[in-house]
């Protein structure tokens, strides 16, 4: 059986208006560290970034993209 090669998406930075999704992991700084996993979205044209935040409420899970903060 012949299996086709995987798709080539090229360079994200050379395409305008494209987003790059990255999976990030980090530990909390609590006494007993907890491993957090988050999905990060970057706009490759502007350098802006967002983190996917989810909260479980009475009406179910609600997901929103929250902007990353820049230190000045």
């Amino acid at each position: 059986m012949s299996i086709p090669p995987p798709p080539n998406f090229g360079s994200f930075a050379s395409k305008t208006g494209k987003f790059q999704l990255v999976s990030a992991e980090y530990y909390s700084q609590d006494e007993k560290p907890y491993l957090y996993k988050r999905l990060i979205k970057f706009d490759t044209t502007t350098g802006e970034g967002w983190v996917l935040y989810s909260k479980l409420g009475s009406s179910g899970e609600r997901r929103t993209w929250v902007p990353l903060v820049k230190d000045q």
Side-chain angles (χ1 to χ4, degrees):
M1 181 169 18
S2 177
I3 300 172
N8 182 4
F9 295 105
S11 171
F12 284 104
S14 66
K15 296 182 168 78
T16 59
K18 297 292 180 180
F19 294 98
Q20 185 173 11
L21 298 174
V22 178
S23 177
E25 296 179 353
Y26 62 94
Y27 284 98
S28 65
Q29 294 182 352
D30 300 326
E31 186 176 310
K32 183 177 179 184
Y34 181 77
L35 179 65
Y36 287 95
K37 295 182 180 186
R38 296 286 185 257
L39 188 61
I40 309 289
K41 177 172 74 171
F42 290 105
D43 183 336
T44 59
T45 58
T46 64
E48 293 179 286
W50 300 267
V51 62
L52 185 61
Y53 176 76
S54 65
K55 185 173 183 178
L56 192 57
S58 59
S59 60
E61 184 181 17
R62 182 178 172 188
R63 296 177 182 176
T64 55
W65 287 105
V66 178
L68 290 173
V69 178
K70 242 176 139 175
D71 289 337
Q72 295 187 16

